[in-house]
Amino acid sequence: MKNRDWTDGHVERWLPVLPELDPDIEGAIVRMKKLGVHLRRVREQSLVDFGLERHEFDTLHKLAGRGGEAAPSELAADLDLAPASVTGRLDALERRGFVRRSPSTTDRRRVVVALTEPGRLTWLGAMDVLGDEEYRLLGVLSRDERRQLNAMLRRIMIAAEETGGAGGAGGAGGAEETGEACA
C-alpha cells in the first residue's frame, strides 16, 4: 500500500494482540491524538519564536478576542484566574509594551486594558505560524472534504460533550488546550 502513515503500522501491530480492536476507530483516535500533539508542538515553537510564554499568549489571545480592550475582571473570568493572577500577567505584558492600562472614560473606578500595536502584532505573528500549518495540513482536502470532516468531528464532539468529558462548557477556551487558531 502506497499511502501509509505511522498509524497504519501501529494498528497492524495491535490487531494480533487485540483481535476485537476496530482498526478504523483505533486509526482515527491515534491520528487525532498525533495531529493534536503536532499542532501543539508547532504552537509552542511559534511562542518561542515570538518570545512569548504560553500564559502571555493566552492573555493576549483573550484580550484580542474581546476586540482588544477589556477590564481586568473580564480577563480574569475569561482565563479562569483569580484577579491577582491577572494583575501579575498584565504587569509583565505592560512592561513589554504589549498592553496598556488606563482609567475608563465612563467610570473612574474602572481600568481598561488595551492591546497595543506591538502586542497585537506579536499575538498575530504567533497565530499565523499555527494557522499556516493548519491550512497546510487541511489543504490536502477539498473544500467539501473539509466541510464533511468538520461535520463528522462535530457529531463526535456532541457525543463527548453529552457526558461532560470534552470540556464543552469552556467553549472559547479550547484554543489554549488544542492550539487552534481562534477562540
Side-chain angles (χ1 to χ4, degrees), residues 8-70:
D8 292 318
H10 164 83
V11 170
E12 287 171 2
R13 283 188 301 279
W14 279 101
L15 275 174
V17 178
L18 299 169
E20 70 283 357
L21 182 71
D22 182 320
D24 293 325
I25 290 176
E26 180 69 6
I29 295 298
V30 169
R31 285 181 178 97
M32 286 188 287
K33 284 181 183 178
K34 289 185 80 59
L35 280 170
V37 168
H38 172 73
L39 291 172
R40 231 178 333 277
R41 284 182 184 145
V42 169
R43 179 175 186 255
E44 294 306 318
Q45 185 58 54
S46 77
L47 297 181
V48 168
D49 293 346
F50 282 87
L52 287 171
E53 297 291 328
R54 182 178 176 145
H55 67 274
E56 292 174 317
F57 175 85
D58 292 345
T59 306
L60 294 174
H61 189 73
K62 292 299 184 183
L63 187 55
R66 286 190 168 269
E69 285 192 1

Side-chain angles (χ1 to χ4, degrees), residues 157 160-161 164-174:
M157 285 305 301
E161 289 172 357

Side-chain angles (χ1 to χ4, degrees), residues 45-154:
Q45 185 58 54
S46 77
L47 297 181
V48 168
D49 293 346
F50 282 87
L52 287 171
E53 297 291 328
R54 182 178 176 145
H55 67 274
E56 292 174 317
F57 175 85
D58 292 345
T59 306
L60 294 174
H61 189 73
K62 292 299 184 183
L63 187 55
R66 286 190 168 269
E69 285 192 1
S73 60
E74 293 169 327
L75 290 174
D78 289 350
L79 292 162
D80 196 25
L81 293 173
S85 297
V86 172
T87 299
R89 286 184 180 199
L90 294 176
D91 288 344
L93 289 169
E94 194 168 37
R95 280 192 298 275
R96 294 186 68 186
F98 292 159
V99 301
R100 179 182 53 256
R101 287 182 276 200
S102 56
S104 169
T105 56
T106 58
D107 183 348
R108 292 182 307 175
R109 297 167 296 174
R110 190 167 182 246
V111 171
V112 175
V113 180
L115 193 58
T116 63
E117 189 61 11
R120 189 182 75 76
L121 292 174
T122 301
W123 167 75
L124 275 177
M127 289 281 293
D128 284 348
V129 170
L130 182 59
D132 290 347
E133 182 63 2
E134 291 169 347
Y135 277 90
R136 183 185 78 80
L137 294 175
L138 292 174
V140 302
L141 303 175
S142 70
R143 180 175 295 283
D144 286 341
E145 289 170 325
R146 290 192 303 265
R147 198 171 288 123
Q148 241 182 341
L149 175 63
N150 189 38
M152 289 185 288
L153 290 171
R154 179 181 299 110

